[in-house]
Amino acid sequence: MRVYLRVLIATLIAIFSFSQNCLYAQCPTATISTSDTLAYCTGDIISVTLTATAGGGLSYQWQFNGSNISGEISDTYVATEPGNYTVIVTNTTPCSDTSIATVISQFSFPNSAISAGGSITFCQGSNVNLSVTSGSNLTYQWKIGGSNISNATNDSYVASITGSYTVTVTSHNLCATTTPSATDVTVNPNPTINITPATPTTFCSGGSVLLNATTGLTTYQWKLNGVNVSGANEDTLTVLTSGSYTVAVSDANGCTATSTGEVVTVNPNPTIDITPATPTTFCSGGSVLLNATTGLTTYQWKLNGVDVSGANEDTLTVLTSGSYTVAVTNANGCSATSTAEVVTVNSNPSVDITTSDAT
């Protein structure tokens, strides 16, 4: 019993003595300093030199995530993995202090895989929406052929031209990752289509013009005033009527185009009639005035299909029998020939007087 009391008293004296020493002596302040970065990305080699409070008569114990690091008792330590680092600094009193933890972080790279919202091969005038996984504290920079696309800094980009697209995604801790493989967008050009008339596109009724489209395309559909012409699916079209003609085509890539309009003007031929002023059957020595439709540009009267010399007015005085027609043209150069007007000139009778008597 006495031995137990002696041990207890000795222990209390030692504890009291240590407490008095730490209470009245100057205790160290444990701090950690470093000039190295504390943030790393996955795959980076971590090497951070940590320096503890310096001073004579101090001893050190480095800790990782709250556990002592065996053998690390100098005032510096080189950390090589992410985690919480502290140091216990003890002086000769002995009083000790534990530093605030220095945290070394290692961050993973953000996902930069591109998803396409549709086909990445399409015709000129279309586009495809390219996107990456969105997230907070991320920034984006889209590129084509390795060069930055101006103002393309969202988590999606609408691609409308041919090229190899990538995106660099950067997290708030500056871990940046670029698309592991480019998304190749192919924009096929639309076909070039033109119409070439073989002859003038202004002509008279009864005429025609052959319209030739660019050859070598896959499909053709001719249109008149925007409406499909039934059965007109070749690279040429024979046109007989007025209107605006276009042709819609497609090529081997399925890309389409429509030509500009080719305007065809079909002018009507003139209407020509002959109106006799008096009966067309009369006796020799008489005549008939034939009147043609007025207001036309040229006239040529004919007798039995042969031009009557100088007969170039809209009237003709006829003295002899025959079939009379008139060929005319109008202001558009369109022509017509009238139906025939038959004139019959009857011979006058021959009369003689005879007598058997002396005259």
Side-chain angles (χ1 to χ4, degrees):
M1 183 65 179
R2 290 180 179 178
V3 172
Y4 174 77
L5 290 174
R6 287 175 183 174
V7 173
L8 179 59
I9 292 169
T11 301
L12 291 173
I13 292 172
I15 292 173
F16 178 77
S17 175
F18 177 79
S19 299
Q20 289 297 310
N21 288 337
C22 286
L23 181 63
Y24 296 108
Q26 183 176 2
C27 290
T29 300
T31 60
I32 298 176
S33 62
T34 183
S35 60
D36 296 326
T37 181
L38 298 176
Y40 292 84
C41 299
T42 301
D44 290 347
I45 296 175
I46 297 175
S47 180
V48 180
T49 299
L50 304 175
T51 302
T53 307
L58 299 177
S59 62
Y60 306 89
Q61 176 59 62
W62 289 92
Q63 296 181 316
F64 176 59
N65 293 335
S67 299
N68 290 350
I69 304 172
S70 177
E72 298 300 331
I73 55 174
S74 69
D75 61 352
T76 61
Y77 175 71
V78 178
T80 59
E81 58 182 310
N84 298 332
Y85 291 85
T86 54
V87 64
I88 300 173
V89 179
T90 305
N91 62 16
T92 57
T93 305
C95 283
S96 63
D97 185 39
T98 302
S99 70
I100 297 172
T102 295
V103 180
I104 298 176
S105 301
Q106 191 169 45
F107 301 96
S108 61
F109 289 103
N111 183 14
S112 64
I114 296 175
S115 298
S119 175
I120 56 175
T121 299
F122 49 87
C123 298
Q124 185 178 0
S126 295
N127 55 58
V128 62
N129 187 67
L130 305 178
S131 61
V132 293
T133 302
S134 60
S136 60
N137 298 318
L138 297 178
T139 60
Y140 308 86
Q141 178 58 64
W142 289 87
K143 301 182 180 186
I144 182 171
S147 298
N148 289 350
I149 301 173
S150 179
N151 298 320
T153 55
N154 295 321
D155 58 6
S156 64
Y157 179 73
V158 177
S160 58
I161 62 174
T162 296
S164 294
Y165 290 84
T166 56
V167 62
T168 297
V169 184
T170 305
S171 62
H172 69 284
N173 43 56
L174 301 182
C175 291
T177 181
T178 300
T179 308
S181 60
T183 297
D184 293 325
V185 173
T186 301
V187 182
N188 292 315
N190 293 324
T192 299
I193 181 65
N194 294 304
I195 297 176
T196 305
T199 53
T201 55
T202 298
F203 52 89
C204 298
S205 179
S208 66
V209 60
L210 180 68
L211 301 181
N212 299 290
T214 305
T215 59
L217 298 171
T218 306
T219 66
Y220 296 83
Q221 177 58 65
W222 290 90
K223 298 173 183 282
L224 170 57
N225 299 327
V227 178
N228 290 350
V229 178
S230 179
N233 306 118
E234 304 296 329
D235 57 6
T236 61
L237 180 69
T238 299
V239 172
L240 306 174
T241 57
S242 295
S244 178
Y245 289 84
T246 56
V247 60
V249 298
S250 65
D251 60 15
N253 293 317
C255 297
T256 61
T258 299
S259 70
T260 56
E262 186 70 41
V263 177
V264 173
T265 302
V266 181
N267 291 316
N269 293 323
T271 299
I272 180 65
D273 294 307
I274 298 175
T275 305
T278 54
T280 56
T281 298
F282 53 88
C283 296
S284 179
S287 66
V288 61
L289 180 67
L290 301 181
N291 299 289
T293 304
T294 60
L296 299 171
T297 304
T298 67
Y299 296 83
Q300 176 60 62
W301 290 91
K302 298 173 184 286
L303 171 58
N304 299 325
V306 178
D307 289 353
V308 178
S309 178
N312 305 119
E313 302 296 330
D314 57 4
T315 62
L316 178 69
T317 301
V318 172
L319 305 174
T320 58
S321 296
S323 178
Y324 288 84
T325 57
V326 60
V328 297
T329 62
N330 60 17
N332 293 317
C334 297
S335 60
T337 298
S338 69
T339 56
E341 187 69 41
V342 176
V343 174
T344 302
V345 180
N346 292 317
S347 300
N348 291 324
S350 179
V351 62
D352 292 315
I353 298 175
T354 61
T355 183
S356 59
D357 300 322
T359 59

